[in-house]
Amino acid sequence: MTGPIRTRDRFDAVQAALLCSVCGGQRHYAPEIDAMRCDSCGTESAITDEDHPDPRLEQAYDPSDWEDEPPEVDHAHRCETCGGEVVFVGRAISERCPYCDGAVVLFGGHAHFVPSGLIPFGNSRDQVVDKMAEWLRGRWAAPSDLMVQAQDGHLAALYAPFWTFDASKAIDYRATKRTGRGKNARSRRVSGHLFMNFDDVIIAASDHVTPALRDGIMHGFDPDWLRPYRPEYLAGFAAELHGMRVSDGLAALGRDIRVQIEKRIRDDVGGTVSDVTYSAQTSGIRFRRVLLPLWILHYHYGGKPKRIVVSGIDGCCFGERPYSFAKLLAYSAGTVMAAFLIGALIGSGLAPG
């Protein structure tokens, strides 16, 4: 494992490389121009990716090989509330955790794996604020002051760790198939064999990215959008690096695709199916470690913390929101009144035929 002095030197070299060549100020990645911009003089400079490996390439997984420990990271910050670990490249842009908005403190850091690529932020802060406002306005039965409360929240930008997995599954299954009705109903055990291929399945490599959050914003992943992993893309943003092993990701993949496998089995059997059991042999596993961009708004309503998340790729929005009980009661009363009026019209013979 690389010692802390060498790690410190490497981190300092990265920080120095992010300084502006014109005035020496700190630079950050600006999504609206897909380039670096100096915080002091505004000089813009492109990011060159030609000399780096193609981030679209996948790595084959061999379960017989132990994964080497990656270099230690000694500039990470740990959240005192949720335990999340984030890295700030360039200027320290926040003292809050992008996941839960808790306070973060500098600590020695754990070992992390270097990602093979990332998708840089494709939307600016102003665009994300507009997207969140549009999402909030569209919430049914929302409190009238929801927009005002959300505007007082804290908006964080984060690169979150994910895997992409390819795999093939050879599946042997057994199930109970029910046919007929009433006295003619019969049940029998059936068995079969299936083969399924999975391509670029997105799996979160962090306990802080829930399946609901991932499914709410990550749609239509395209490996052509990937860029080589470079510190320049992280400058001005927070990032959680990969701390889990591929075997952890494969366990999550198995849980994630279980529903798809069982649905495929039910479709293969046909009719009314129950008591599905199966065993699967996995082969052809290939993976990438990637970072994907998220915008997270933390706000409070009624003293309870809530968050809205926007994909930094395509602006897809997903979030938590309160309801106005007064509006819910009004809608319920309106529905009852409408039903009563329709019933009265039908009873009087005045309803249109």
Side-chain angles (χ1 to χ4, degrees), residues 162-346:
F162 289 83
W163 284 287
T164 72
F165 280 111
D166 294 352
S168 297
K169 293 274 188 180
I171 303 161
D172 291 305
Y173 70 81
R174 291 181 61 82
T176 299
K177 180 174 182 177
R178 184 178 177 86
T179 58
R181 294 183 179 180
K183 294 181 179 180
N184 296 322
R186 298 289 185 272
S187 295
R188 61 187 178 91
R189 290 293 285 175
V190 297
S191 61
H193 181 79
L194 292 172
F195 191 81
M196 297 179 68
N197 287 317
F198 298 91
D199 181 51
D200 283 337
V201 180
I202 301 293
I203 298 293
S206 168
D207 293 334
H208 295 87
V209 181
T210 64
L213 192 157
R214 178 205 61 185
D215 294 342
I217 62 173
M218 291 299 170
H219 303 284
F221 169 83
D222 189 335
D224 287 339
W225 299 337
L226 287 169
R227 304 275 185 89
Y229 173 72
R230 293 183 54 125
E232 288 91 334
Y233 290 117
L234 273 59
F237 300 94
E240 181 184 7
L241 300 182
H242 280 251
M244 296 182 178
R245 296 182 176 278
V246 180
S247 54
D248 298 323
L250 288 173
L253 173 68
R255 295 189 295 268
D256 192 74
I257 64 177
R258 182 179 298 276
V259 173
Q260 298 180 52
I261 292 175
E262 292 188 357
K263 180 180 184 303
R264 177 69 181 278
I265 291 173
R266 292 175 182 276
D267 291 343
D268 192 59
V269 174
T272 302
V273 184
S274 60
D275 300 327
V276 175
T277 61
Y278 69 88
S279 61
Q281 295 293 324
T282 307
S283 61
I285 301 172
R286 303 185 68 82
F287 71 95
R288 305 183 191 91
R289 290 190 186 91
V290 299
L291 299 180
L292 302 181
L294 307 177
W295 292 91
I296 306 177
L297 174 70
H298 297 276
Y299 73 103
H300 286 75
Y301 193 91
K304 296 181 179 180
K306 299 186 180 298
R307 65 178 180 175
I308 302 172
V309 183
V310 174
S311 168
I313 301 173
D314 58 6
C316 189
C317 194
F318 174 83
E320 302 166 334
R321 45 72 57 91
Y323 288 86
S324 166
F325 289 106
K327 289 184 179 180
L328 290 174
L329 288 174
Y331 292 148
S332 299
T335 301
V336 172
M337 182 60 70
F340 174 79
L341 291 175
I342 292 173
L345 289 172
I346 293 175

Side-chain angles (χ1 to χ4, degrees), residues 1-4 6-7 69-73 110-111:
M1 181 180 292
T2 305
R6 291 182 60 189
T7 304
E69 289 290 340
E72 183 175 296
V73 175
H110 290 151

Side-chain angles (χ1 to χ4, degrees), residues 15-49:
Q15 300 294 73
L18 296 177
L19 298 180
C20 176
S21 60
V22 176
C23 71
Q26 279 281 355
R27 298 185 299 161
H28 70 277
Y29 177 71
E32 62 272 18
I33 61 172
D34 189 20
M36 301 293 290
R37 177 183 288 148
C38 178
D39 297 338
S40 300
C41 69
T43 297
E44 299 174 359
S45 53
I47 301 175
T48 304
D49 296 327

